[in-house]
Amino acid sequence: MVSLLTMPMSGGIKTWPQAQIDLGFRPIKRQPKVIKCTVQIDVTELTKKRQLFTPRTTATPPQHNPLRLNIFQKAAAIAIDAAERALISHEQDSPLPKTADPRVQIAGNYSPVPESSVRRNLTVEGTIPDCIDGVYIRNGANPMFEPTAGHHLFDGDGMVHAVKITNGSASYTCRFTKTERLVQEKRLGRPVFPKAIGELHGHSGIARLMLFYARGLCGLINNQNGVGVANAGLVYFNNRLLAMSEDDLPYQLKITQTGDLQTVGRYNFDGQLKSAMIAHPKLDPVTKELHALSYDVVKKPYLKYFRFSSDGVKSPELEIPLDTPTMIHDFAITENFVVIPDQQVVFKLGEMISGKSPVVFDGEKVSRLGIMPKDATEASQIIWVNSPETFCFHLWNAWESPDTEEIVVIGSCMSPADSIFNERDESLRSVLSEIRINLRTRKTTRRSLLVNEDVNLEIGMVNRNRLGRKTRFAFLAIAEPWPKVSGFAKVDLCTGEMKKYIYGGEKYGGEPFFLPGSSGNGEQNEDDGYIFCHVHDEETKTSELQIINAVNLKLEATIKLPSRVPYGFHGTFVDSSELVDQL
């Protein structure tokens, strides 16, 4: 999520002085007997006085290297640290919502792990197919430090897990992406950058912003070189591996010859990119162009579109007019168009003054989808079509249907729309849906794709060689019991038929990543390939990487991993042939 930490020091901050008074206010208390948690665990009789949370397995606290400060800076640091301690003490009296409670958000296999150097010659059960030769990389959130206050799963520092496969043997490593915020917090020996979702709400959120900017003004931290965590998406583009979260520029990583990972640094495409980029850019498999969006929560334009040519040259930015800053985690492309969701989860910073989260569901807003030519130069070229009550956190694919004059969009429609960010009583549902946008009538239709089945499907993909073109199959995580993933589904988008692959027992996983096989480029053999899934056994506390034949859903190989791999987000695969030209 784009962070309020990117807020400029001028404009939109009229409420900050008031926050000095607000620091003395107490947020509205909730005192339920039972809190129904998103992870379907009842936390009974939570004490009103919150204790600092220690995850079951934490990342190794780094040795810090204190800054050399002048007298003024030392005095400022003492004062700011004292104010922060007072704030933390004050917060202990207020129960956290489940969406910001670390006892919920990073419990069990969501808890962090330390880095691991390369471990070679891993045990392999079965046989890894000969055509698989490269590195499977998966991103995730892994906080380096214990939370001192609120924490959402999405707030954790980015950690990338890599499994290198060569000649049927495998190695494993995991490394933090060394973002600007992580490097500075490691040097200081503690967290000082506010967490965009877990901490930036209500009066305490305003106070944390004030402390953050005060540290910056006093030279105690550098808040001018990005605040992102780079924990969500991964893309290999123009010979570079990029890790992304939508609150910052991407970070370039490098895969070494030994299968290790190194952070090259914050990547601005040779000075061309000046703003954050969302975590799901789209790589066109035919043109090799990379399409992207950037959104801002503070100032207009709230949304921009741009693309990069196959050799990394950025197009001019196209400003997309929106009335309200909107949370746009994903979008879609077709052969000729970009599909832009303008949905009902928005940012209203004024909500913080009344003690609430700035990420809210706007029931008065009508969701809509924008259809824009890829080479558009003006916002007037966008066709906006209303699609009421539609909120898709992820869009799996889209394509053009010339016979019906429609754009077909495949996504998982979530309800309640803001339940990932705000505490809700209703159970979350994620329904795989087909949305048809008629370009002539300017109307939409929406239907559930599954036949006689009601199951939550989230996080997954189609054959990436068919992105933007009509696809028959989607491979999606079975998010049950939410938010755990008990298996994945292979869905026929034409018939609605679903075939399941269940991990079994107490095993759970994450995103099923589809790697196309040698003939998996065309419509006839679209499902020729293999599914990669990180799977964790909650009974034995062990993790493994499963490789499944995507045609018949038969397990081909299981790579036993030397350490626990937390549930995470999105991944990609870099073939060994691509690594030859890696920058």
Side-chain angles (χ1 to χ4, degrees):
M1 187 182 77
V2 169
S3 174
L4 299 181
L5 308 188
T6 59
M7 184 183 297
M9 291 303 292
S10 63
I13 58 172
K14 296 178 181 178
T15 59
W16 287 3
Q18 183 63 33
Q20 295 174 329
I21 301 173
D22 291 340
L23 275 172
F25 292 173
R26 295 170 67 91
I28 299 173
K29 289 188 178 181
R30 298 184 180 91
Q31 299 183 22
K33 292 293 182 181
V34 177
I35 297 178
K36 295 181 180 178
C37 298
T38 302
V39 292
Q40 298 186 353
I41 300 173
D42 284 345
V43 183
T44 307
E45 298 290 348
L46 289 180
T47 57
K48 288 194 293 182
K49 188 77 170 179
R50 290 191 282 111
Q51 303 297 319
L52 292 183
F53 175 68
T54 303
R56 182 166 53 83
T57 304
T58 60
T60 304
Q63 299 296 318
H64 63 281
N65 184 18
L67 291 170
R68 294 183 178 180
L69 307 176
N70 59 37
I71 294 176
F72 168 77
Q73 289 175 315
K74 289 180 179 179
I78 292 172
I80 294 171
D81 289 350
E84 185 176 56
R85 288 193 298 271
L87 175 62
I88 293 173
S89 177
H90 170 77
E91 289 178 324
Q92 301 307 304
D93 294 328
S94 303
L96 288 168
K98 62 178 180 284
T99 50
D101 191 339
R103 292 171 294 184
V104 174
Q105 293 292 310
I106 52 174
N109 195 45
Y110 290 98
S111 62
V113 295
E115 288 188 323
S116 172
S117 58
V118 178
R119 305 284 292 276
R120 299 180 178 84
N121 300 316
L122 304 181
T123 299
V124 178
E125 296 179 354
T127 303
I128 299 174
D130 293 337
C131 62
I132 298 177
D133 186 0
V135 186
Y136 170 58
I137 318 120
R138 199 220 64 195
N139 211 344
N142 196 85
M144 175 173 281
F145 294 96
E146 273 182 40
T148 58
H151 182 94
H152 188 280
L153 175 64
F154 295 170
D155 288 327
D157 297 299
M159 174 174 276
V160 177
H161 301 259
V163 177
K164 186 175 188 289
I165 298 173
T166 306
N167 297 324
S169 65
S171 66
Y172 167 81
T173 187
C174 63
R175 297 292 187 184
F176 280 108
T177 296
K178 293 178 174 58
T179 61
E180 289 285 340
R181 82 184 275 154
L182 183 138
V183 169
Q184 293 189 61
E185 290 185 338
K186 182 177 180 179
R187 185 183 65 221
L188 294 169
R190 60 194 177 94
V192 293
F193 284 67
K195 295 171 181 175
I197 306 175
E199 292 182 343
L200 294 186
H201 49 80
H203 306 134
S204 63
I206 296 173
R208 288 186 183 281
L209 283 174
M210 293 174 62
L211 293 172
F212 173 71
Y213 282 106
R215 285 190 169 107
L217 287 171
C218 296
L220 304 177
I221 60 171
N222 181 354
N223 54 18
Q224 301 302 308
N225 289 332
V227 297
V229 288
N231 65 13
L234 290 167
V235 67
Y236 192 77
F237 172 68
N238 196 25
N239 300 322
R240 292 176 174 86
L241 176 61
L242 303 179
M244 299 157 292
S245 57
E246 51 229 47
D247 51 1
D248 205 343
L249 274 64
Y251 275 82
Q252 182 181 348
L253 308 179
K254 185 171 185 177
I255 303 169
T256 70
Q257 291 184 343
T258 62
D260 209 345
L261 295 165
Q262 298 174 347
T263 301
V264 177
R266 196 164 175 251
Y267 185 61
N268 61 12
F269 292 84
D270 297 325
Q272 299 176 95
L273 185 61
K274 307 295 184 182
S275 60
M277 188 172 84
I278 71 169
H280 288 288
K282 303 300 179 184
L283 182 60
D284 189 302
V286 176
T287 67
K288 306 303 181 184
E289 291 180 321
L290 188 71
H291 301 263
L293 297 176
S294 173
Y295 68 85
D296 196 299
V297 305
V298 177
K299 62 183 185 301
K300 291 184 176 182
Y302 296 131
L303 185 63
K304 295 182 291 187
Y305 161 77
F306 47 89
R307 68 187 187 278
F308 296 94
S309 65
S310 59
D311 55 358
V313 177
K314 181 174 173 288
S315 71
E317 295 179 347
L318 177 61
E319 297 181 0
I320 301 172
L322 299 179
D323 294 333
T324 308
T326 301
M327 200 281 292
I328 302 177
H329 180 69
D330 200 1
F331 71 112
I333 61 171
T334 70
E335 187 174 355
N336 297 293
F337 297 98
V338 177
V339 181
I340 304 164
D342 178 21
Q343 303 174 131
Q344 293 172 286
V345 177
V346 301
F347 298 94
K348 294 186 177 181
L349 305 188
E351 295 292 305
M352 296 177 71
I353 302 301
S354 57
K356 300 176 183 178
S357 169
V359 186
V360 300
F361 173 76
D362 186 349
E364 296 182 359
K365 181 179 179 180
V366 178
S367 293
R368 60 180 185 164
L369 295 167
I371 308 301
M372 180 183 71
K374 285 180 174 178
D375 58 356
T377 57
E378 297 180 359
S380 59
Q381 295 175 260
I382 304 173
I383 298 174
W384 290 103
V385 182
N386 289 344
S387 183
E389 305 302 322
T390 298
F391 177 80
C392 294
F393 199 58
H394 292 108
L395 297 176
W396 310 122
N397 200 15
W399 61 83
E400 299 156 32
S401 177
D403 293 342
T404 60
E405 300 181 76
E406 292 176 318
I407 300 293
V408 181
V409 181
I410 307 297
S412 291
C413 292
M414 279 189 172
S415 62
D418 65 335
S419 56
I420 292 178
F421 305 103
N422 297 312
E423 192 168 7
R424 299 294 294 264
D425 294 329
E426 305 98 316
S427 297
L428 186 144
R429 296 184 69 240
S430 184
V431 180
L432 180 63
S433 303
E434 176 192 82
I435 304 167
R436 287 183 169 267
I437 306 164
N438 192 299
L439 299 180
R440 180 174 51 83
T441 64
R442 308 290 176 91
K443 292 183 179 180
T444 63
T445 60
R446 190 183 79 203
R447 68 182 181 94
S448 172
L449 279 170
L450 298 184
V451 177
N452 301 321
E453 193 118 28
D454 185 15
V455 60
N456 285 329
L457 296 179
E458 243 302 327
I459 198 166
M461 63 187 304
V462 299
N463 186 328
R464 60 183 180 179
N465 290 336
R466 299 290 303 162
L467 192 69
R469 283 76 185 168
K470 185 175 182 178
T471 44
R472 179 177 176 183
F473 298 107
F475 302 92
L476 302 170
I478 299 173
E480 294 184 354
W482 179 268
K484 293 182 181 179
V485 172
S486 56
F488 69 86
K490 177 183 180 180
V491 182
D492 188 320
L493 302 177
C494 297
T495 66
E497 179 186 6
M498 175 174 62
K499 295 180 181 179
K500 297 180 181 178
Y501 180 91
I502 303 299
Y503 303 128
E506 292 299 311
K507 291 184 176 182
Y508 300 95
E511 176 188 66
F513 177 83
F514 176 81
L515 178 67
S518 57
S519 63
N521 296 324
E523 292 185 61
Q524 299 302 316
N525 302 299
E526 183 187 315
D527 60 344
D528 175 36
Y530 300 92
I531 301 293
F532 288 71
C533 296
H534 274 295
V535 178
H536 179 72
D537 191 324
E538 297 194 349
E539 184 175 353
T540 64
K541 313 301 181 186
T542 57
S543 297
E544 61 194 25
L545 178 65
Q546 294 189 7
I547 302 176
I548 300 105
N549 188 307
V551 175
N552 55 26
L553 300 191
K554 299 296 184 182
L555 180 64
E556 296 277 353
T558 300
I559 301 172
K560 299 295 184 179
L561 300 176
S563 56
R564 182 172 64 84
V565 176
Y567 304 131
F569 302 138
H570 305 286
T572 192
F573 187 91
V574 183
D575 192 85
S576 59
S577 62
E578 296 177 295
L579 291 175
V580 174
D581 299 317
Q582 181 187 207
L583 297 175

